[in-house]
Amino acid sequence: MALQSLDIKARSATTTPSPQIRKAVEVAKLIDTSICIGCKACQVACMQWNDLRDEIGSNHGVLDNPMDLSAASWTVMRFAEHENEEGNLEWLIRKDGCMHCTDPGCLKACPSPGAIVQYTNGIVDFHEENCIGCGYCITGCPFNIPRISAKDHKAYKCTLCSDRVAVGQAPACAKACPTGAITFGAKEDMLDSAQVRVDGLKERGFQNAGLYDPQGVGGTHVMYVLRHADRPELYHGLPQDPHISPMVSLWKGVAKPLATAAMGAVAVGSLFHYVMKGPNEVSKETEREVEKEGEQ
Amino acid sequence: MIRDPQDLRRYTASQRVNHWIVGMCFILLAFSGLAFFHPAFFPLAMLFGGGVWARILHPLIGVAMAVFFTLLALRFWRLNMMTATDLEWLKRAREMMDGDDHNMPIQGKYNGGQKALFWAVLVCVLVLFVSGLAIWREYFSALLPIGLVRFASLLHAVFASLMIALITVHVYAAIWVKGTIRAMWYGTVTRAWAKQHHAAWYREMTGRKS
């Protein structure tokens, strides 16, 4: 293996176990939305480190820019206006991007062996050289993250700067954040740090403050501290209880072995029918009858 | 092989060509589609030049299949209308499979099983075409709600498996009943074959009473 820090735990379209003799520390990025100022330094750092230059878009009259994730914009700041119970305006800003699920829907749906991998450190990464461009990762993702490039028809998304993490560096976005809203470290440490921040928010009167680490996808390796953890959908549609859709679970779960077995059974059953019952031939009797008719 | 001038014509050249275009499309679609369905079949993508080519070609072949299957269905749907005799035939299909067709109801050009298969395949092609468009990422998926795309993905896999099973039965039936495949190769069957398996059609073609 090239880098111990990038040992692979799970691999798309692979039915045998990945090497698992050694374990790594799980990492996580913690995004405290309560101290994010929406400066977009993270967006800039992301495009600089990853050498991405998206097409220049147009101004839509809002601060969101670009308006959505794309193959060349792996993170975007989402700005949502929320009027709270006291009638005050709250500007809820969330850095959107891949959540690096413990149970990744993209990896489950991907049909191409090794196009999507999950490292032992928890990062879910796309290996575009193996990507066939089918878009099943989009179908599988509960957070609407992957995007297919119009240029090369490959799927792209945030790598959590796996190349930086591999050599002990924090992701570019975390490095650039001027307020400390983005921090990076061992998932365990990030959970502790989140608890401190949530407690602080509660002390300041945000009773519903909490951590967003949705268990429906086994927890994530990008987590949010939210003032309104009871209503994550306020943050530009962050899903309340994300999980892999039952359709996707069926399709890429039980349907696979079941349908394969059924198709095999029909083929093998046909073969054995022939072996056991023999061919269905025209009887001598019918042949004689027809011959007689011909003579008439 | 010397062909007997007494042989009965079952399919015209144009019908045969149409059938085999659909058949080739089906084989290509099954191989490339299985590659996306289960990792065990992924190596089949190599027949198409790799996963990317399989992904590009599969939906295009699918459109061709839909077009040529529609032509085929337009040619044959009338001949596949179910009758009371066909239902009786289906009820007694087990006897036939056990190798004894002496007491089977007299059949026209197609028997109950062939007709049932025709309609089942027609439903499969319809569902596969519509759901296939929905999961065609290049042109359509982005325009549809994600829930629909997920449902279409599941539907596509289920009906594709069903169709592969049905076509396996279709091919096996042609191999099992000797003297059948030539009808689709060069169009004719022997009189004895027709009399044994499709007696009503035999009478119709020869003008004989028995």
Side-chain angles (χ1 to χ4, degrees):
Chain A
M1 276 174 239
L3 284 170
Q4 182 176 349
S5 49
L6 293 181
D7 272 359
I8 288 165
K9 178 165 77 176
R11 189 173 179 273
S12 59
T14 303
T15 45
T16 50
S18 290
Q20 45 191 283
I21 203 74
R22 56 192 185 195
K23 296 262 175 285
V25 174
E26 267 186 62
V27 297
K29 182 161 76 182
L30 181 66
I31 303 172
D32 186 347
T33 59
S34 71
I35 54 171
C36 170
I37 56 171
C39 68
K40 297 181 188 159
C42 52
Q43 280 184 213
V44 174
C46 178
M47 57 182 274
Q48 283 206 322
W49 176 259
N50 293 300
D51 279 326
L52 299 166
R53 298 294 182 271
D54 210 345
E55 305 252 326
I56 309 272
S58 46
N59 191 319
H60 291 254
V62 290
L63 226 64
D64 302 56
N65 179 18
M67 288 299 283
D68 195 13
L69 296 167
S70 76
S73 293
W74 296 349
T75 186
V76 294
M77 312 245 48
R78 307 280 197 184
F79 297 82
E81 291 173 11
H82 167 59
E83 203 179 305
N84 63 21
E85 289 75 24
E86 291 91 56
N88 290 329
L89 183 76
E90 281 186 46
W91 211 12
L92 305 178
I93 309 167
R94 175 170 69 90
K95 175 194 181 298
D96 196 8
C98 178
M99 300 295 286
H100 298 274
C101 307
T102 301
D103 185 13
C106 56
L107 191 147
K108 190 178 183 77
C110 176
S112 182
I116 304 182
V117 297
Q118 183 180 42
Y119 303 122
T120 43
N121 64 15
I123 295 177
V124 178
D125 217 354
F126 286 6
H127 284 176
E128 278 81 11
E129 73 275 19
N130 296 328
C131 174
I132 64 170
C134 63
Y136 287 2
C137 50
I138 302 172
T139 308
C141 177
F143 293 97
N144 184 24
I145 300 298
R147 296 290 185 272
I148 301 259
S149 159
K151 257 186 217 156
D152 59 16
H153 304 276
K154 306 278 182 200
Y156 293 92
K157 67 159 192 73
C158 158
T159 66
L160 206 72
C161 284
S162 54
D163 51 351
R164 292 175 59 88
V165 173
V167 294
Q169 294 283 314
C173 56
K175 193 92 179 167
C177 181
T179 67
I182 308 174
T183 49
F184 178 82
K187 174 148 181 177
E188 222 179 306
D189 295 344
M190 290 301 107
L191 287 172
D192 290 344
S193 153
Q195 194 55 52
V196 173
R197 297 197 181 206
V198 169
D199 289 346
L201 282 167
K202 283 189 171 162
E203 261 170 44
R204 285 163 51 207
F206 295 102
Q207 282 314 310
N208 296 318
L211 176 69
Y212 187 81
D213 177 27
Q215 295 307 304
V217 289
T220 52
H221 296 86
V222 170
M223 306 182 292
Y224 292 113
V225 170
L226 305 174
R227 280 181 197 158
H228 306 283
D230 56 328
R231 294 166 71 193
E233 66 280 0
L234 293 178
Y235 295 82
H236 205 284
L238 191 58
Q240 174 74 247
D241 176 29
H243 53 266
I244 296 180
S245 154
M247 300 283 176
V248 175
S249 302
L250 263 175
W251 168 43
K252 288 291 173 182
V254 287
K256 286 204 293 190
L258 221 65
T260 305
M263 287 184 283
V266 172
V268 174
S270 298
L271 176 79
F272 281 116
H273 179 263
Y274 197 89
V275 171
M276 288 162 74
K277 303 285 180 188
N280 182 347
E281 276 166 314
V282 176
S283 66
K284 290 275 173 253
E285 191 189 332
T286 311
E287 266 171 13
R288 274 196 295 272
E289 276 172 28
V290 170
E291 248 167 61
K292 243 184 242 165
E293 283 170 17
E295 287 157 12
Q296 282 166 19
Chain B
M1 175 177 182
I2 299 162
R3 279 186 246 167
D4 188 337
Q6 290 285 298
D7 286 347
L8 302 176
R9 192 168 79 162
R10 199 161 159 81
Y11 296 112
T12 65
S14 149
Q15 287 170 332
R16 284 167 354 236
V17 168
N18 193 338
H19 170 269
W20 286 113
I21 292 175
V22 172
M24 284 186 291
C25 287
F26 169 79
I27 290 167
L28 295 173
L29 285 168
F31 282 5
S32 54
L34 281 170
F36 308 137
F37 179 57
H38 194 298
F41 300 119
F42 193 77
L44 290 172
M46 298 310 148
L47 297 172
F48 300 82
V52 178
W53 271 113
R55 183 265 301 166
I56 294 169
L57 292 173
H58 182 92
L60 296 173
I61 301 167
V63 171
M65 165 102 175
V67 170
F68 285 98
F69 183 83
T70 304
L71 287 177
L72 201 66
L74 286 173
R75 287 163 185 254
F76 291 108
W77 72 273
R78 241 175 243 284
L79 289 162
N80 281 284
M81 295 310 283
M82 284 276 182
T83 64
T85 324
D86 295 323
L87 296 177
E88 179 61 25
W89 190 96
L90 283 171
K91 262 186 226 160
R92 294 165 65 173
R94 180 170 279 277
E95 284 174 42
M96 171 91 185
M97 280 167 60
D98 274 341
D100 178 15
D101 59 0
H102 281 85
N103 302 316
M104 295 305 281
I106 301 287
Q107 294 292 302
K109 185 161 185 178
Y110 296 113
N111 64 41
Q114 290 172 299
K115 290 181 182 180
L117 188 116
F118 173 86
W119 294 109
V121 168
L122 184 127
V123 170
C124 282
V125 172
L126 192 69
V127 173
L128 286 167
F129 178 63
V130 175
S131 61
L133 287 181
I135 60 175
W136 198 350
R137 183 55 61 181
E138 179 91 27
Y139 301 115
F140 304 108
S141 302
L143 310 170
L144 301 168
I146 187 76
L148 194 67
V149 175
R150 286 170 182 157
F151 181 60
S153 304
L154 179 62
L155 220 55
H156 202 78
V158 170
F159 277 83
S161 310
L162 184 64
M163 179 146 173
I164 290 172
L166 287 170
I167 298 301
T168 307
V169 171
H170 174 67
V171 171
Y172 175 65
I175 294 170
W176 179 49
V177 182
K178 294 296 160 199
T180 302
I181 294 178
R182 51 176 285 179
M184 237 351 139
W185 282 137
Y186 43 86
T188 61
V189 288
T190 64
R191 290 186 169 228
W193 181 94
K195 187 169 184 178
Q196 171 143 340
H197 302 298
H198 300 276
W201 179 67
Y202 173 72
R203 277 182 233 151
E204 198 183 300
M205 294 294 284
T206 57
R208 288 180 186 280
K209 291 222 170 65
S210 59

